[in-house]
């Protein structure tokens, strides 16, 4: 069954202007180096990074932002940032919050027909949420390995989470990795990381 999904994903990927399927399949490692995705992916990621960068001037700076677009047509549905600290909610990651808000707006638990962009590769929790939401595609900026340099991470590639499920979802990344990393190296964010480290968080 997985091979059928892979073939379907290749067709959908080609239609989106991407050269090849970008999630891991049986016997293959998840892509970890180089820039992937299309020019449109890069443009959307740059915009998302700029949106997320706005949090650096707030009491709760975060490097994690996400935005959901209609796969066909490209209309933006919803975007949000991580609010773990602001909401005292360990599940309030950028991807999860954006999915929650999008589903509430549409009045459905399914986001089939939509694509999610995120400034950092989804953790296992967030990628599982993307799969349960039936998203067509996930596009990420920085990698989990990048994020792990600044704080705790679950070191499972998002493509691996997808591969171990029975739900189809194209995983593309990294896209605009260097620009996405600017969220982590921003001075305001570095100060927060230092506070977390001092507190043992």
């Amino acid at each position: 069954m997985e091979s059928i999904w892979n073939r379907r994903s290749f067709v959908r990927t080609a239609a989106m202007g991407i050269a090849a399927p970008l999630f891991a399949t049986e016997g293959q490692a998840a892509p970890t180096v180089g820039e992937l995705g299309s020019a449109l992916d890069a443009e959307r990621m740059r915009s998302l990074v700029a949106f997320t960068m706005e949090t650096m001037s707030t009491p709760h700076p975060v490097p994690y932002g996400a935005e959901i677009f209609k796969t066909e047509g490209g209309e933006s549905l919803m975007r949000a940032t991580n609010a773990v600290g602001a909401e005292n909610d360990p599940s309030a990651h950028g991807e999860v919050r954006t999915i929650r808000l999008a589903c509430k707006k549409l009045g459905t638990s399914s986001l089939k027909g939509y694509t999610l962009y995120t400034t950092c590769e989804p953790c296992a929790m967030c990628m599982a949420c993307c799969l349960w939401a039936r998203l067509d595609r996930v596009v990420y900026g920085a990698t989990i390995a990048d994020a792990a340099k600044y704080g705790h991470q679950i070191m499972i590639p998002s493509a691996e989470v997808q591969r171990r499920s029975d739900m189809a979802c194209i995983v593309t990344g990294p896209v605009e990795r260097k620009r996405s990393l600017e969220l982590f190296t921003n001075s305001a964010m570095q100060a927060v990381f230092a506070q977390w480290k001092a507190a043992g968080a």
Side-chain angles (χ1 to χ4, degrees):
M1 185 66 71
E2 183 176 10
S3 61
I4 294 174
W5 287 335
N6 291 345
R7 287 195 295 272
R8 288 176 179 168
S9 296
F10 178 84
V11 172
R12 288 189 306 186
T13 304
M16 293 174 190
I18 304 168
L22 299 171
F23 56 86
T25 56
E26 195 68 46
Q28 294 180 326
T32 56
V33 296
E35 288 291 329
L36 302 171
S38 66
L40 179 59
D41 290 336
E43 178 184 340
R44 288 176 174 173
M45 190 64 70
R46 288 192 296 270
S47 176
L48 179 58
V49 168
F51 167 73
T52 308
M53 189 67 78
E54 293 175 8
T55 69
M56 299 303 159
S57 59
T58 73
H60 296 283
V62 293
Y64 307 106
E67 184 166 7
I68 294 173
F69 290 86
K70 186 78 172 175
T71 300
E72 298 292 335
E75 299 87 358
S76 175
L77 173 64
M78 185 62 62
R79 64 181 180 179
T81 59
N82 178 298
V84 169
E87 298 180 0
N88 297 310
D89 179 359
S91 71
H93 288 201
E95 299 94 330
V96 172
R97 287 190 73 230
T98 306
I99 289 170
R100 286 173 177 166
L101 291 168
C103 287
K104 185 174 182 179
K105 181 177 180 177
L106 294 176
T108 177
S109 62
S110 174
L111 293 175
K112 185 176 177 61
Y114 288 87
T115 294
L116 180 141
Y117 288 77
T118 174
T119 57
C120 187
E121 184 175 3
C123 70
M125 175 184 74
C126 291
M127 190 61 213
C129 188
C130 291
L131 293 172
W132 289 120
R134 300 299 196 267
L135 284 159
D136 295 345
R137 187 167 171 246
V138 170
V139 183
Y140 66 84
T143 67
I144 287 177
D146 292 328
K149 297 174 184 176
Y150 304 99
H152 298 297
Q153 288 296 325
I154 299 173
M155 301 300 291
I156 304 174
S158 52
E160 177 69 8
V161 177
Q162 185 282 325
R163 187 181 71 80
R164 287 175 174 267
S165 80
D166 62 358
M167 292 170 277
C169 180
I170 299 169
V171 180
T172 305
V175 172
E176 290 291 324
R177 181 183 184 186
K178 184 176 180 180
R179 194 171 299 240
S180 297
L181 282 172
E182 292 175 1
L183 293 164
F184 293 86
T185 58
N186 181 276
S187 59
M189 198 65 239
Q190 284 290 305
V192 172
F193 286 142
Q195 291 173 8
W196 291 351
K197 186 175 182 180

